[in-house]
Amino acid sequence: MKQTWRCFGPSDAISIGEIRQTGATGIVSALHHVPTGEAWSVERIKERLQQIEQPGGVPSGLSWDVVESVPVSEAIKSQTGPVSHHLETYKETLCNLAECGIYTVCYNFMPVLDWTRTDLSYALPHGGHAMRFDLLDFIVFDCFILCRKGAEQDYSTEIVEAAQTRFVNLGDGDRLRLSNNIVAGLPGANDNWSLADVKRNLDAYIGVTPEMLRSNLVDFLSEVIPTAEDLGIRLCCHPDDPPFPLLGLPRVMSSQSDYVTVLDAVDSPANGVTLCTGSLGVDTEFDPVSFIAQLGHRVHFVHLRNTMRDGPSDNNRHSFSESEHLAGDTDMVATIRALLAEEQRRRNQGRSDYEIPMRPDHGHALLSDVTRQSQPGYPLIGRMRGLAELRGVIHGCS
């Protein structure tokens, strides 16, 4: 597998020079400063390419292998507002990426909030930090901070009562921190919305069922996949994170069966999968080996990370913490073995895309990571440890 590293561009606290020392050979990046719905120009793409491949005019030895992400606008997801314009700018961005030699594009189709955590710096026994999703804290936010209409009906009476007790005992600072973690704390998740922004965007999905949202996704893919095919671009959808409904919103990419439905609906090699073992692994039914056996030929990008289910749960929704890469609920060794077998199948078939790019995702903050400013979930030492462990498994399974 191609070992890659996520880089957030010039604002990233981790430099290209430091990334070179991790052993990664590829970069995963995006133009987060370009507003959603606006096309990425060739000039801006080439500027980022230069920052990655020729920083200061000196070759880095790194290549920009994957775009994560070209965001899908709320207009497209909800099919309200300037849908046609946003579809055209999305296709224009794909054309410009292909012109610059970048052919793997990750995206997601989670409405309003993208990946969601309640604690971005959860203290671990050894002194490091991890990210965590505590369902009880999320219900505190949903029912008593956001005060979403009808929120209490989505949960059991017992856990709502427990959330109310926790809310009462939280100070103003803790309430603000929880709200910021969920709404504005995550890289690439949104445009730093306020609570009012979240409420306004939620209104666009009133009455939208999972079937309707899935239909909107299929409509989006039906529009952009022919362009991707012509360009040789591989689009790959990231799963819902976490893989269950939040804020009364439907989720449509949370399971193996969800992927089968969408990939069958738009049956093209350009319509593919970002396999995130951490996101899908929160679901007790997730089997990575089965997933790869059925859908491995459409996996274009892999996030190798792990999560551990813990704490409060309710109606098939679970609390979980980001775990060590080899120590969570997902069998990472079996996953890597299955991915290496898929790569060999591709070689045997003569596929040019036999090497699957992967990156270590969401490492623990360790040692100097704890005091160094970096994007939540993206520390230097914690991810380098994860990459080293994954690299060891790859060598052991090869």
Side-chain angles (χ1 to χ4, degrees):
M1 283 180 279
K2 179 70 176 285
Q3 297 171 30
T4 67
W5 187 275
R6 191 172 190 183
C7 173
F8 293 93
S11 65
D12 200 319
I14 299 169
S15 70
I16 292 295
E18 289 172 309
I19 294 171
R20 290 181 65 191
Q21 296 178 52
T22 68
T25 57
I27 293 294
V28 176
S29 193
L31 305 186
H32 296 298
H33 57 291
V34 178
T36 300
E38 183 178 319
W40 297 7
S41 67
V42 169
E43 292 72 23
R44 280 173 157 169
I45 296 167
K46 286 185 174 179
E47 180 181 21
R48 179 59 54 84
L49 270 170
Q50 188 275 329
Q51 292 163 354
I52 291 169
E53 299 180 356
Q54 297 276 337
V58 179
S60 68
L62 299 171
S63 55
W64 186 2
D65 293 316
V66 180
V67 172
E68 185 180 353
S69 301
V70 178
V72 181
S73 71
E74 292 302 317
I76 292 173
K77 293 174 188 174
S78 63
Q79 292 202 352
T80 58
V83 179
S84 296
H85 174 65
H86 286 185
L87 287 169
E88 291 307 311
T89 58
Y90 204 98
K91 288 185 281 188
E92 182 180 348
T93 294
L94 296 182
C95 292
N96 292 342
L97 286 168
E99 182 176 335
C100 296
I102 304 169
Y103 295 101
T104 303
V105 176
C106 175
Y107 71 98
N108 74 71
F109 213 78
M110 289 178 272
V112 185
L113 293 184
D114 287 0
W115 59 294
T116 303
R117 300 294 183 270
T118 58
D119 193 337
L120 306 183
S121 188
Y122 178 70
L124 298 169
H126 57 45
H129 296 160
M131 295 197 300
R132 174 170 166 74
F133 177 88
D134 186 293
L135 181 62
L136 194 62
D137 282 341
F138 187 83
I139 297 170
V140 167
F141 169 79
D142 192 12
C143 295
F144 304 108
I145 296 177
L146 184 65
C147 299
R148 177 174 63 89
K149 185 178 180 180
E152 294 87 348
Q153 299 172 14
D154 288 350
Y155 312 102
S156 67
T157 301
E158 293 77 14
I159 202 165
V160 171
E161 290 175 351
Q164 185 172 28
T165 299
R166 180 171 291 186
F167 171 73
V168 169
N169 292 325
L170 286 178
D172 290 343
D174 290 329
R175 294 177 185 180
L176 179 61
R177 187 176 304 108
L178 174 61
S179 180
N180 286 342
N181 287 347
I182 293 172
V183 173
L186 305 179
N190 56 47
D191 298 316
N192 294 318
W193 290 340
S194 66
L195 286 179
D197 294 328
V198 172
K199 289 180 178 179
R200 184 178 64 255
N201 280 281
L202 286 174
D203 286 344
Y205 293 91
I206 293 174
V208 174
T209 64
E211 294 74 21
M212 293 167 65
L213 184 63
R214 184 176 293 108
S215 177
N216 293 352
L217 171 55
V218 171
D219 287 348
F220 162 70
L221 291 170
S222 298
E223 185 70 29
V224 301
I225 285 298
T227 298
E229 275 189 346
D230 290 343
L231 297 167
I233 280 182
R234 297 173 290 273
L235 283 171
C236 41
C237 189
H238 188 285
D240 302 327
D241 186 3
F244 44 75
L246 297 176
L247 301 180
L249 296 165
R251 299 283 223 188
V252 295
M253 295 301 276
S254 295
S255 67
Q256 184 171 330
S257 62
D258 285 341
Y259 273 96
V260 169
T261 299
V262 171
L263 296 182
D264 285 349
V266 184
D267 190 7
S268 164
N271 179 24
V273 178
T274 296
L275 172 57
C276 180
T277 54
S279 301
L280 292 167
V282 173
D283 185 349
T284 58
E285 301 299 317
F286 176 59
D287 180 346
V289 175
S290 170
F291 190 103
I292 295 164
Q294 183 175 20
L295 300 174
H297 63 293
R298 300 279 278 274
V299 171
H300 299 320
F301 181 35
V302 178
H303 292 177
L304 292 178
R305 69 178 177 91
N306 227 327
T307 49
M308 180 74 73
R309 292 180 293 274
D310 57 15
S313 62
D314 185 66
N315 294 332
N316 293 319
R317 283 173 281 207
H318 306 277
S319 301
F320 61 91
S321 298
E322 303 280 353
S323 68
E324 296 175 4
H325 285 76
L326 305 184
D329 291 319
T330 296
D331 186 338
M332 197 61 69
V333 174
T335 302
I336 289 173
R337 188 178 292 116
L339 286 168
L340 292 174
E342 170 59 28
E343 286 190 326
Q344 187 58 52
R345 282 191 292 272
R346 295 183 183 193
R347 290 188 187 93
N348 295 341
Q349 294 166 357
R351 284 178 56 168
S352 60
D353 63 340
Y354 65 85
E355 188 175 45
I356 304 172
M358 74 82 169
R359 67 175 179 85
D361 201 9
H362 296 186
H364 288 172
L366 304 173
L367 303 172
S368 60
D369 288 335
V370 174
T371 56
R372 179 177 185 172
Q373 292 296 318
S374 61
Q375 296 280 11
Y378 292 93
L380 173 59
I381 296 172
R383 278 190 293 164
M384 185 168 64
R385 173 186 171 177
L387 180 59
E389 292 176 342
L390 296 168
R391 185 182 296 128
V393 174
I394 291 169
H395 283 299
C397 293
S398 298

